[in-house]
């Protein structure tokens, strides 16, 4: 986190997770030892362990009743493994399937990450998924049973935090894309649609917020689109 002290946002207490100096040294040592080939996995494991340390610290003070964690990149793995409180895991996707579908490799590191993502799901008190297709994949390939809870598509009230809105967008119409900037999320389809829309609605802007994920060949999704005109 870029925050150094706990803060409150929308009546929710936010506690920054700080990595100890020792864990930082261990991270660098293991990266060198593995010739930087396992950096992503090492980083995720150390991050999950850091979450566990902060959770145990706060749990002594607040006595939490429930832990909720995504399975993606398994941030709550070590906390759930300790089984101190009941846990719920939300499964967003089945990684081997989307990697195969987008041309990304399923190598050793990817397979190990998938192991932890599946393991945290099986260790949780309850786990659910918003997709029946993903549920069937987990049951078929991982023998893990999931409940299906569909993501609601109707929102009764929209809230806009003006402090987060750039001045250039105030009082303007814009379409917000929020998520991983990659082909998998349908970004290229959206860009094509916007390209056609602005021909008749040139007052609409497109705002993209998220971390860019490179294509299988390592190139930039947005740069390729720009180069294509």
């Amino acid at each position: 986190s870029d925050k150094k002290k706990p803060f409150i946002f929308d009546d929710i207490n936010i506690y920054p997770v700080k990595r100890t100096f020792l864990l930082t040294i261990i991270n660098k040592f293991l990266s060198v030892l593995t010739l930087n080939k396992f950096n992503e996995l090492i980083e995720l494991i150390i991050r999950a362990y850091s979450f566990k340390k902060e959770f145990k610290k706060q749990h002594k003070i607040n006595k939490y009743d429930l832990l909720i964690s995504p399975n993606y990149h398994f941030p709550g793995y070590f906390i759930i493994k300790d089984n101190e409180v009941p846990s719920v895991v939300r499964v967003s996707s089945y990684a081997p399937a989307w990697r195969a579908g987008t041309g990304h490799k399923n190598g050793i590191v990817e397979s190990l990450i998938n192991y932890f993502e599946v393991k945290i799901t099986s260790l949780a008190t309850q786990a659910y998924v918003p997709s029946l297709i993903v549920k069937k994949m987990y049951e078929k390939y991982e023998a893990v049973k999931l409940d299906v809870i569909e993501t609601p598509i109707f929102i009764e009230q929209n809230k806009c935090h003006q402090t987060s809105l750039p001045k250039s967008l105030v009082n303007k119409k814009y379409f917000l894309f929020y998520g991983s900037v990659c082909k998998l999320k349908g970004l290229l389809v959206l860009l094509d649609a916007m390209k056609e829309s602005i021909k008749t609605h040139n007052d609409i802007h497109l705002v993209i917020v998220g971390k860019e994920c490179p294509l299988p060949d390592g190139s930039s999704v947005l740069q390729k689109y720009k180069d294509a005109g």
Side-chain angles (χ1 to χ4, degrees):
S1 173
D2 60 347
K3 304 290 184 181
K4 299 186 181 299
K5 295 181 180 180
F7 61 99
I8 298 175
F9 180 79
D10 273 3
D11 296 325
I12 299 174
N13 293 319
I14 311 293
Y15 297 94
V17 177
K18 301 176 183 178
R19 180 173 301 177
T20 64
F21 177 73
L22 177 60
L23 286 177
T24 301
I25 295 299
I26 292 174
N27 189 355
K28 291 182 179 180
F29 173 75
L30 290 176
S31 296
V32 173
L33 189 65
T34 58
L35 303 177
N36 295 320
K37 294 182 179 180
F38 289 78
N39 282 4
E40 183 182 7
L41 176 62
I42 293 169
E43 173 64 28
L44 293 176
I45 290 175
I46 289 180
R47 186 179 69 173
Y49 185 75
S50 298
F51 283 145
K52 172 190 171 180
K53 288 178 67 69
E54 183 64 27
F55 174 82
K56 290 180 77 71
K57 174 184 172 183
Q58 297 300 332
H59 185 46
K60 290 179 181 179
I61 303 170
N62 299 298
K63 295 298 177 185
Y64 296 118
D65 299 315
L66 180 69
L67 171 73
I68 301 176
S69 170
N71 81 318
Y72 180 67
H73 285 174
F74 56 93
Y77 176 77
F78 292 108
I79 306 172
I80 292 175
K81 190 171 182 292
D82 282 352
N83 198 29
E84 288 191 40
V85 296
S87 55
V88 175
V89 165
R90 180 188 185 276
V91 177
S92 56
S93 64
Y94 184 56
W98 69 253
R99 288 196 189 101
T102 56
H104 289 76
K105 66 178 182 177
N106 276 302
I108 297 176
V109 172
E110 290 77 17
S111 296
L112 288 171
I113 291 175
N114 183 61
Y115 165 80
F116 282 107
E117 291 182 348
V118 173
K119 191 65 177 177
I120 188 177
T121 304
S122 63
L123 289 173
T125 310
Q126 203 74 25
Y128 73 95
V129 62
S131 165
L132 185 59
I133 295 175
V134 177
K135 169 186 167 67
K136 290 179 177 179
M137 284 184 177
Y138 264 81
E139 291 179 350
K140 180 177 180 179
Y141 299 110
E142 306 295 346
V144 175
K145 291 189 177 297
L146 302 170
D147 291 322
V148 176
I149 301 178
E150 295 182 0
T151 303
I153 59 173
F154 295 106
I155 302 174
E156 294 182 0
Q157 183 179 10
N158 293 320
K159 292 183 179 180
C160 179
H161 293 278
Q162 295 294 338
T163 54
S164 303
L165 189 66
K167 292 181 178 179
S168 58
L169 293 174
V170 174
N171 298 324
K172 291 185 178 179
K173 298 177 182 178
Y174 65 91
F175 188 94
L176 174 65
F177 174 93
Y178 183 82
S180 300
V181 182
C182 61
K183 181 180 178 181
L184 175 67
K185 299 293 185 179
L187 181 60
L188 296 184
V189 176
L190 173 60
L191 290 173
D192 285 335
M194 288 297 297
K195 192 174 182 180
E196 290 299 313
S197 296
I198 59 176
K199 292 179 180 179
T200 53
H201 300 82
N202 58 9
D203 60 335
I204 298 178
H205 301 264
L206 173 62
V207 179
I208 299 174
V209 179
K211 178 182 177 182
E212 184 171 13
C213 302
L215 293 167
D217 61 4
S219 60
S220 165
V221 180
L222 293 177
Q223 190 58 50
K224 273 203 168 185
Y225 192 84
K226 290 177 181 177
D227 294 343

